[in-house]
Amino acid sequence: MIEDANMEQISVMIEVAGPQDAQIMAEIKFENLMHRVKIGKLEMSKQEIERARVTEESVHALSEELTHSNDDDYYLAARSSGGVVGFCRMTWRPDSNRFQFRQFYVQPKYLDRKIGGKIMAAAKERARHSEHAPMGMFLYTGDYNEEARQRYEHWGFSNAGPEESKFEQRCDRKIEWIKMILDFDESK
């Protein structure tokens, strides 16, 4: 059980998402991005915001991805009695013998209620017991997102080093995407 600021208890269960979840997942992603823009934690141009908006086409594309999920590429959804409240995507990367943790979003009204930690714990557990016998997991986080890096470190990830970073030009500035790794043999 997770308690919110109003002492309301929220029971959360993590399971593989299906095509029926596409609409709410697309909405959660957009709401999360706009929340981060509003509080100054993410820069997005007007064009980027327009591309991120939920459309019939974006929901259909996500529904197709969810329809074709398998053990190599799937989404985990955090569900409460009110429906999906957060999710992540896990993608097998055979070149590194690791799963990539990506597309991690929680509805803004449920932030800071440990839902993200429950999603991460479920992602680790499912990946650890995969038929691929992975070495671990990895993710990328932007250089601008110190709070996320600290959270990932708390969850057992470490910076893979500058040689593993990627760079992208966005909104008149270059973003460094920092690769963080988690080794299963060393993690909890």
PDB file of all heavy atoms in Angstrom, residues 9 18 42 47 62-63 65 69 87-88 114 121 137 140 152 158 178-179 182:
ATOM      1  N   GLN A   9      -4.995   5.495   0.674  1.00  0.00           N
ATOM      2  CA  GLN A   9      -4.170   4.343   0.358  1.00  0.00           C
ATOM      3  C   GLN A   9      -4.364   3.962  -1.106  1.00  0.00           C
ATOM      4  O   GLN A   9      -5.490   3.897  -1.577  1.00  0.00           O
ATOM      5  CB  GLN A   9      -4.541   3.184   1.269  1.00  0.00           C
ATOM      6  CG  GLN A   9      -4.324   3.501   2.732  1.00  0.00           C
ATOM      7  CD  GLN A   9      -3.311   2.590   3.346  1.00  0.00           C
ATOM      8  OE1 GLN A   9      -3.114   1.485   2.888  1.00  0.00           O
ATOM      9  NE2 GLN A   9      -2.670   3.049   4.391  1.00  0.00           N
ATOM     10  N   GLY A  18      -1.189  -4.219 -22.046  1.00  0.00           N
ATOM     11  CA  GLY A  18      -1.773  -4.730 -23.285  1.00  0.00           C
ATOM     12  C   GLY A  18      -2.301  -3.599 -24.138  1.00  0.00           C
ATOM     13  O   GLY A  18      -2.313  -2.432 -23.716  1.00  0.00           O
ATOM     14  N   LEU A  42      12.410  20.207 -17.683  1.00  0.00           N
ATOM     15  CA  LEU A  42      12.568  19.719 -19.044  1.00  0.00           C
ATOM     16  C   LEU A  42      12.316  20.865 -20.011  1.00  0.00           C
ATOM     17  O   LEU A  42      11.323  21.582 -19.873  1.00  0.00           O
ATOM     18  CB  LEU A  42      11.573  18.581 -19.316  1.00  0.00           C
ATOM     19  CG  LEU A  42      11.561  17.973 -20.712  1.00  0.00           C
ATOM     20  CD1 LEU A  42      12.888  17.266 -21.006  1.00  0.00           C
ATOM     21  CD2 LEU A  42      10.405  16.990 -20.846  1.00  0.00           C
ATOM     22  N   GLN A  47       7.515  22.822 -31.197  1.00  0.00           N
ATOM     23  CA  GLN A  47       7.433  21.714 -32.156  1.00  0.00           C
ATOM     24  C   GLN A  47       7.527  20.363 -31.442  1.00  0.00           C
ATOM     25  O   GLN A  47       6.810  19.420 -31.796  1.00  0.00           O
ATOM     26  CB  GLN A  47       8.543  21.823 -33.218  1.00  0.00           C
ATOM     27  CG  GLN A  47       8.417  23.027 -34.107  1.00  0.00           C
ATOM     28  CD  GLN A  47       9.045  24.292 -33.489  1.00  0.00           C
ATOM     29  OE1 GLN A  47       9.643  24.283 -32.420  1.00  0.00           O
ATOM     30  NE2 GLN A  47       8.879  25.411 -34.188  1.00  0.00           N
ATOM     31  N   LEU A  62       1.103   2.932 -30.503  1.00  0.00           N
ATOM     32  CA  LEU A  62       1.409   2.311 -29.215  1.00  0.00           C
ATOM     33  C   LEU A  62       0.607   1.030 -29.026  1.00  0.00           C
ATOM     34  O   LEU A  62       1.132   0.018 -28.546  1.00  0.00           O
ATOM     35  CB  LEU A  62       1.150   3.287 -28.069  1.00  0.00           C
ATOM     36  CG  LEU A  62       1.425   2.770 -26.659  1.00  0.00           C
ATOM     37  CD1 LEU A  62       2.846   2.225 -26.511  1.00  0.00           C
ATOM     38  CD2 LEU A  62       1.151   3.862 -25.639  1.00  0.00           C
ATOM     39  N   SER A  63      -0.641   1.046 -29.435  1.00  0.00           N
ATOM     40  CA  SER A  63      -1.475  -0.156 -29.345  1.00  0.00           C
ATOM     41  C   SER A  63      -0.857  -1.299 -30.148  1.00  0.00           C
ATOM     42  O   SER A  63      -0.838  -2.453 -29.691  1.00  0.00           O
ATOM     43  CB  SER A  63      -2.888   0.152 -29.846  1.00  0.00           C
ATOM     44  OG  SER A  63      -3.682  -1.005 -29.803  1.00  0.00           O
ATOM     45  N   GLU A  65       2.374  -1.655 -30.836  1.00  0.00           N
ATOM     46  CA  GLU A  65       3.554  -2.108 -30.089  1.00  0.00           C
ATOM     47  C   GLU A  65       3.139  -3.038 -28.956  1.00  0.00           C
ATOM     48  O   GLU A  65       3.755  -4.078 -28.733  1.00  0.00           O
ATOM     49  CB  GLU A  65       4.315  -0.917 -29.509  1.00  0.00           C
ATOM     50  CG  GLU A  65       5.082  -0.114 -30.514  1.00  0.00           C
ATOM     51  CD  GLU A  65       5.777   1.086 -29.885  1.00  0.00           C
ATOM     52  OE1 GLU A  65       5.914   1.147 -28.638  1.00  0.00           O
ATOM     53  OE2 GLU A  65       6.174   1.980 -30.644  1.00  0.00           O
ATOM     54  N   SER A  69       3.993  -7.191 -28.204  1.00  0.00           N
ATOM     55  CA  SER A  69       4.943  -7.365 -27.106  1.00  0.00           C
ATOM     56  C   SER A  69       5.370  -8.817 -27.008  1.00  0.00           C
ATOM     57  O   SER A  69       4.600  -9.732 -27.318  1.00  0.00           O
ATOM     58  CB  SER A  69       4.296  -6.962 -25.775  1.00  0.00           C
ATOM     59  OG  SER A  69       4.114  -5.588 -25.703  1.00  0.00           O
ATOM     60  N   PHE A  87       4.170   3.554 -16.059  1.00  0.00           N
ATOM     61  CA  PHE A  87       4.656   2.439 -16.872  1.00  0.00           C
ATOM     62  C   PHE A  87       6.113   2.632 -17.247  1.00  0.00           C
ATOM     63  O   PHE A  87       6.680   3.712 -17.085  1.00  0.00           O
ATOM     64  CB  PHE A  87       3.800   2.261 -18.135  1.00  0.00           C
ATOM     65  CG  PHE A  87       3.913   3.383 -19.134  1.00  0.00           C
ATOM     66  CD1 PHE A  87       4.837   3.335 -20.172  1.00  0.00           C
ATOM     67  CD2 PHE A  87       3.074   4.482 -19.058  1.00  0.00           C
ATOM     68  CE1 PHE A  87       4.924   4.364 -21.100  1.00  0.00           C
ATOM     69  CE2 PHE A  87       3.151   5.515 -19.979  1.00  0.00           C
ATOM     70  CZ  PHE A  87       4.088   5.448 -21.002  1.00  0.00           C
ATOM     71  N   CYS A  88       6.703   1.560 -17.764  1.00  0.00           N
ATOM     72  CA  CYS A  88       8.040   1.602 -18.353  1.00  0.00           C
ATOM     73  C   CYS A  88       8.072   0.618 -19.513  1.00  0.00           C
ATOM     74  O   CYS A  88       7.197  -0.234 -19.648  1.00  0.00           O
ATOM     75  CB  CYS A  88       9.121   1.247 -17.336  1.00  0.00           C
ATOM     76  SG  CYS A  88       9.229  -0.523 -16.948  1.00  0.00           S
ATOM     77  N   LYS A 114       6.275   6.498  -4.457  1.00  0.00           N
ATOM     78  CA  LYS A 114       7.019   5.240  -4.575  1.00  0.00           C
ATOM     79  C   LYS A 114       6.488   4.304  -5.660  1.00  0.00           C
ATOM     80  O   LYS A 114       6.863   3.140  -5.717  1.00  0.00           O
ATOM     81  CB  LYS A 114       7.128   4.539  -3.231  1.00  0.00           C
ATOM     82  CG  LYS A 114       7.794   5.412  -2.164  1.00  0.00           C
ATOM     83  CD  LYS A 114       8.216   4.618  -0.975  1.00  0.00           C
ATOM     84  CE  LYS A 114       8.793   5.495   0.105  1.00  0.00           C
ATOM     85  NZ  LYS A 114      10.028   6.157  -0.217  1.00  0.00           N
ATOM     86  N   ALA A 121      11.418  -2.055  -9.435  1.00  0.00           N
ATOM     87  CA  ALA A 121      11.632  -3.360  -8.791  1.00  0.00           C
ATOM     88  C   ALA A 121      11.057  -4.489  -9.650  1.00  0.00           C
ATOM     89  O   ALA A 121      11.693  -5.538  -9.821  1.00  0.00           O
ATOM     90  CB  ALA A 121      11.006  -3.368  -7.401  1.00  0.00           C
ATOM     91  N   MET A 137      20.915  -4.489 -16.498  1.00  0.00           N
ATOM     92  CA  MET A 137      20.064  -3.533 -17.207  1.00  0.00           C
ATOM     93  C   MET A 137      20.864  -2.261 -17.451  1.00  0.00           C
ATOM     94  O   MET A 137      21.883  -2.032 -16.812  1.00  0.00           O
ATOM     95  CB  MET A 137      18.836  -3.173 -16.357  1.00  0.00           C
ATOM     96  CG  MET A 137      17.883  -4.312 -16.128  1.00  0.00           C
ATOM     97  SD  MET A 137      16.609  -3.985 -14.849  1.00  0.00           S
ATOM     98  CE  MET A 137      15.963  -2.389 -15.251  1.00  0.00           C
ATOM     99  N   TYR A 140      19.352   5.366 -20.216  1.00  0.00           N
ATOM    100  CA  TYR A 140      19.959   6.666 -20.502  1.00  0.00           C
ATOM    101  C   TYR A 140      19.135   7.723 -19.807  1.00  0.00           C
ATOM    102  O   TYR A 140      17.904   7.663 -19.793  1.00  0.00           O
ATOM    103  CB  TYR A 140      19.974   6.947 -22.004  1.00  0.00           C
ATOM    104  CG  TYR A 140      21.005   6.153 -22.758  1.00  0.00           C
ATOM    105  CD1 TYR A 140      20.654   4.966 -23.403  1.00  0.00           C
ATOM    106  CD2 TYR A 140      22.319   6.582 -22.829  1.00  0.00           C
ATOM    107  CE1 TYR A 140      21.599   4.229 -24.098  1.00  0.00           C
ATOM    108  CE2 TYR A 140      23.280   5.847 -23.520  1.00  0.00           C
ATOM    109  CZ  TYR A 140      22.911   4.676 -24.152  1.00  0.00           C
ATOM    110  OH  TYR A 140      23.840   3.949 -24.834  1.00  0.00           O
ATOM    111  N   TYR A 152      18.159   6.809  -9.831  1.00  0.00           N
ATOM    112  CA  TYR A 152      18.672   5.581 -10.433  1.00  0.00           C
ATOM    113  C   TYR A 152      19.848   5.028  -9.640  1.00  0.00           C
ATOM    114  O   TYR A 152      19.981   3.812  -9.470  1.00  0.00           O
ATOM    115  CB  TYR A 152      19.051   5.812 -11.896  1.00  0.00           C
ATOM    116  CG  TYR A 152      17.867   6.146 -12.778  1.00  0.00           C
ATOM    117  CD1 TYR A 152      17.933   7.198 -13.694  1.00  0.00           C
ATOM    118  CD2 TYR A 152      16.678   5.428 -12.694  1.00  0.00           C
ATOM    119  CE1 TYR A 152      16.844   7.511 -14.503  1.00  0.00           C
ATOM    120  CE2 TYR A 152      15.593   5.737 -13.496  1.00  0.00           C
ATOM    121  CZ  TYR A 152      15.683   6.773 -14.395  1.00  0.00           C
ATOM    122  OH  TYR A 152      14.608   7.080 -15.186  1.00  0.00           O
ATOM    123  N   SER A 158      24.800   2.696 -11.869  1.00  0.00           N
ATOM    124  CA  SER A 158      25.979   3.558 -11.784  1.00  0.00           C
ATOM    125  C   SER A 158      26.293   4.100 -13.183  1.00  0.00           C
ATOM    126  O   SER A 158      25.941   3.489 -14.202  1.00  0.00           O
ATOM    127  CB  SER A 158      27.171   2.796 -11.220  1.00  0.00           C
ATOM    128  OG  SER A 158      27.497   1.702 -12.043  1.00  0.00           O
ATOM    129  N   ILE A 178      23.376  10.260 -20.568  1.00  0.00           N
ATOM    130  CA  ILE A 178      24.304   9.509 -19.730  1.00  0.00           C
ATOM    131  C   ILE A 178      23.810   8.080 -19.584  1.00  0.00           C
ATOM    132  O   ILE A 178      22.673   7.841 -19.174  1.00  0.00           O
ATOM    133  CB  ILE A 178      24.429  10.174 -18.345  1.00  0.00           C
ATOM    134  CG1 ILE A 178      24.974  11.594 -18.520  1.00  0.00           C
ATOM    135  CG2 ILE A 178      25.295   9.335 -17.415  1.00  0.00           C
ATOM    136  CD1 ILE A 178      24.851  12.456 -17.288  1.00  0.00           C
ATOM    137  N   LYS A 179      24.676   7.143 -19.928  1.00  0.00           N
ATOM    138  CA  LYS A 179      24.324   5.732 -19.786  1.00  0.00           C
ATOM    139  C   LYS A 179      24.603   5.298 -18.354  1.00  0.00           C
ATOM    140  O   LYS A 179      25.677   5.541 -17.816  1.00  0.00           O
ATOM    141  CB  LYS A 179      25.124   4.871 -20.758  1.00  0.00           C
ATOM    142  CG  LYS A 179      24.721   3.403 -20.745  1.00  0.00           C
ATOM    143  CD  LYS A 179      25.469   2.610 -21.805  1.00  0.00           C
ATOM    144  CE  LYS A 179      25.004   1.174 -21.864  1.00  0.00           C
ATOM    145  NZ  LYS A 179      25.717   0.436 -22.936  1.00  0.00           N
ATOM    146  N   LEU A 182      23.298  -1.330 -14.395  1.00  0.00           N
ATOM    147  CA  LEU A 182      23.052  -2.084 -13.179  1.00  0.00           C
ATOM    148  C   LEU A 182      23.453  -3.526 -13.485  1.00  0.00           C
ATOM    149  O   LEU A 182      22.969  -4.109 -14.461  1.00  0.00           O
ATOM    150  CB  LEU A 182      21.574  -2.031 -12.799  1.00  0.00           C
ATOM    151  CG  LEU A 182      21.193  -2.886 -11.612  1.00  0.00           C
ATOM    152  CD1 LEU A 182      20.480  -2.041 -10.568  1.00  0.00           C
ATOM    153  CD2 LEU A 182      20.322  -4.038 -12.040  1.00  0.00           C
TER     154      LEU A 182
END
